[in-house]
Amino acid sequence: MFLSFRGKAVAVSTFQGFKSQFVYSTSATPAPAHFLVKYLVDSLGFSKQEATSTSSKVTSFKTLKNPDLVLNFLIQSGLDKTQIKKIVSREPTLLFRDVSKILKPKFQCLMDLGLFGSDLANAIAKDTTIFDRGLDTHLRPTIDCLRKTLGTDENVVKAIKKTPWLLSFGAHHTIEANVLLLKNGGVSDVKLKTLVLRNPRYIIQKSDWVKDLLHRVEKDFRVPLHSPIFPYGFHTLACQRKSTLERKIGIFKSFGWSDNDLLEMFRKLPLCFTQSEVRIKKALNLYMKELGFGPTYLASHPAILVYSLEKRVVPRMQVLKVLDEKKLKRRKWSLYPVLMLTESKFIDYFVMPYKDQIPDLYEIHMKTLAPVSGHNVQIGQCFWRFLINLITMVQNVPCCLTLLEVTIKRKLDFLIKELGLKAYSLASASLLS
């Protein structure tokens, strides 16, 4: 069997072991619920309980002439049994759809865009209402609008994977209105792309919601819409209620922070305000009450507030404390640059050089990390470090955003892999420009 993709014929394997046990008639016989249950069990491997639960979602049985046509089409589209089961579990009425008029044209549209296999299955499973939308009146115009905004089909696919219901609820005229609103406000194409890829749902909201956020970012927090920090400031305000943000601001003020301190931190690293209230209180208690840092210092070094106390800050402080108690000579760095180091560099600088004087220092440090260490923790730390360095870089060198993606990659490969420079060094330099 062959389906066309971007003008090319693509061979699709058939589903082995598929067997239909459904009793149906080509003359439009009504399909009672118990027949649908039997079909799901025999043809898709549902358990009796799963099939009963799934069939209960069908409130009105239409004529089910030949469900095998739908099932065969899904197989020919490259979906496996698990993926088909997932889709049908979410929306069993899919088996009622007309293959030639509804399913095939829309599947082909999504495949032409670049959605295949698990990506295609997930997009459909999470938003089956896409089949209720018109192909030429909604689906294609929405994809075209997203393509103009994001530049490439690859970016459109990324947006759909992040927000699967983008195509069904994202009416193209709403997207166009919000894009125009952002551009008229001074948001560049690059920042607009960053904003949408971070959270695509922003451009399918009501325009009044977008206007309100633009006003708050620019007027209340004094971040110009052309600033490199704008996408992150917009996200920070969009991802939480006003009342939640006001409570967080109240916590900072209870520790003596002024409005100017808060505004400076927001303009440097707005993501500090996305931390939970509990984390903010813990961080301020440690840095201000125990270590004696003032609001001015923390506002000008905001990255310190987003590092995990348990996984990063406290373990490193304990190592420095041991070294100082032993009166061993070490690098006389303040806490901030120590926290900015990668875990491997921290061990190279502050643990391994003292393995003879303090043989168990490494074990003590790793033991402190053990309860919260692991692959996911490392990924999380890497993400935060990368994001902090990226925001710092675009603050100091805004023109780096105007470089082509390939150019940035080539320069980063040379500076990091060839010369051995670190991300935090690049963040404060102008080498990329």
Side-chain angles (χ1 to χ4, degrees):
M1 184 69 185
F2 292 88
L3 287 177
S4 64
F5 170 61
R6 300 187 189 279
K8 298 179 180 179
V10 181
V12 183
S13 61
T14 57
F15 187 92
Q16 298 300 321
F18 163 67
K19 181 174 67 173
S20 174
Q21 299 289 336
F22 195 87
V23 180
Y24 60 83
S25 166
T26 55
S27 59
T29 307
H34 68 276
F35 279 134
L36 180 56
V37 170
K38 188 175 188 304
Y39 185 78
L40 295 175
V41 171
D42 293 341
S43 297
L44 282 171
F46 279 66
S47 67
K48 183 66 179 297
Q49 183 177 0
E50 289 173 334
T52 302
S53 175
T54 300
S55 65
S56 68
K57 298 176 183 178
V58 183
T59 56
S60 176
F61 281 91
K62 299 178 182 179
T63 303
L64 191 59
K65 293 183 179 180
N66 192 343
D68 293 349
L69 291 176
V70 173
L71 195 51
N72 273 325
F73 171 76
L74 296 177
I75 294 165
Q76 292 159 9
S77 297
L79 304 184
D80 61 29
K81 185 177 181 179
T82 301
Q83 293 164 346
I84 294 173
K85 183 178 177 181
K86 180 180 179 180
I87 293 172
V88 174
S89 295
R90 291 289 302 270
E91 189 52 70
T93 59
L94 191 71
L95 296 171
F96 293 80
R97 303 286 183 170
D98 186 292
V99 172
S100 60
K101 293 181 179 179
I102 297 177
L103 298 185
K104 189 174 181 178
K106 292 181 180 178
F107 265 76
Q108 191 67 59
C109 181
L110 296 176
M111 291 169 70
D112 286 344
L113 183 62
L115 283 166
F116 291 101
S118 60
D119 291 339
L120 178 62
N122 288 335
I124 294 171
K126 292 178 181 178
D127 183 26
T128 54
T129 57
I130 192 172
F131 297 112
D132 296 322
R133 298 292 190 175
L135 179 63
D136 295 317
T137 59
H138 183 91
L139 190 57
R140 282 177 177 154
T142 302
I143 290 175
D144 288 341
C145 186
L146 289 170
R147 187 182 288 120
K148 290 177 184 176
T149 303
L150 299 176
T152 65
D153 285 356
E154 182 182 3
N155 282 337
V156 176
V157 169
K158 286 180 183 178
I160 294 171
K161 287 166 67 174
K162 187 169 283 190
T163 308
W165 38 267
L166 186 64
L167 292 180
S168 61
F169 291 98
H172 61 93
H173 56 80
T174 300
I175 296 175
E176 289 170 348
N178 285 331
V179 167
L180 185 62
L181 182 62
L182 290 163
K183 285 187 175 182
N184 287 343
V187 180
S188 69
D189 290 341
V190 173
K191 296 183 188 69
L192 179 59
K193 186 187 300 184
T194 301
L195 180 68
V196 176
L197 286 176
R198 183 169 185 82
N199 198 323
R201 72 180 180 86
Y202 294 155
I203 58 168
I204 58 175
Q205 303 296 321
K206 292 181 178 180
S207 294
D208 288 342
W209 181 85
V210 176
K211 282 181 184 177
D212 179 63
L213 279 176
L214 289 175
H215 177 83
R216 291 172 62 199
V217 171
E218 189 172 30
K219 303 300 181 184
D220 296 349
F221 290 90
R222 301 173 193 174
V223 175
L225 302 188
H226 57 78
S227 164
I229 295 300
F230 164 73
Y232 307 99
F234 189 96
H235 167 74
T236 297
L237 300 185
C239 73
Q240 56 190 321
R241 296 176 183 272
K242 280 185 180 180
S243 57
T244 302
L245 181 59
E246 287 169 359
R247 285 198 304 271
K248 293 176 182 179
I249 290 174
I251 293 172
F252 281 104
K253 287 190 172 183
S254 71
F255 280 82
W257 286 56
S258 67
D259 288 339
N260 286 336
D261 294 329
L262 292 168
L263 289 174
E264 182 179 359
M265 183 173 69
F266 190 93
R267 289 194 293 267
K268 282 183 174 291
L269 190 63
L271 297 181
C272 288
F273 289 96
T274 64
Q275 307 297 301
S276 71
E277 294 168 54
V278 172
R279 284 192 64 176
I280 291 173
K281 285 181 181 177
K282 283 184 177 180
L284 294 178
N285 273 318
L286 173 66
Y287 294 127
M288 299 186 71
K289 291 187 175 180
E290 295 185 31
L291 300 180
F293 290 131
T296 301
Y297 179 84
L298 292 175
S300 61
H301 298 79
I304 203 171
L305 292 171
V306 300
Y307 285 130
S308 170
L309 300 183
E310 297 83 4
K311 303 168 190 175
R312 193 183 195 92
V313 180
V314 173
R316 295 189 182 190
M317 287 174 56
Q318 288 178 343
V319 169
L320 298 181
K321 182 181 178 182
V322 170
L323 295 179
D324 291 340
E325 287 176 346
K326 299 286 185 181
K327 300 188 184 311
L328 295 173
K329 187 178 180 180
R330 68 171 177 86
R331 296 169 188 259
K332 294 302 180 182
W333 289 5
S334 63
L335 183 60
Y336 183 74
V338 171
L339 295 179
M340 291 289 285
L341 290 172
T342 63
E343 183 61 23
S344 61
K345 282 299 181 185
F346 175 77
I347 291 174
D348 287 344
Y349 290 170
F350 296 99
V351 178
M352 297 310 294
Y354 311 97
K355 60 183 179 181
D356 294 331
Q357 297 99 317
I358 314 176
D360 58 349
L361 182 60
Y362 178 79
E363 292 183 10
I364 292 172
H365 178 62
M366 297 310 292
K367 197 172 185 180
T368 307
L369 292 175
V372 289
S373 65
H375 183 61
N376 289 336
V377 168
Q378 293 173 10
I379 291 175
Q381 290 175 341
C382 288
F383 169 76
W384 272 110
R385 187 164 58 252
F386 167 77
L387 196 56
I388 290 167
N389 288 330
L390 176 64
I391 293 176
T392 304
M393 182 173 68
V394 298
Q395 265 189 313
N396 295 328
V397 196
C399 64
C400 70
L401 290 178
T402 64
L403 297 174
L404 292 175
E405 182 178 345
V406 175
T407 304
I408 293 176
K409 184 179 185 302
R410 188 172 66 249
K411 289 193 175 186
L412 287 176
D413 283 343
F414 174 74
L415 294 170
I416 294 176
K417 294 180 181 179
E418 298 289 335
L419 299 185
L421 297 179
K422 304 304 178 186
Y424 56 80
S425 299
L426 295 176
S428 59
S430 58
L431 290 171
L432 281 177
S433 62

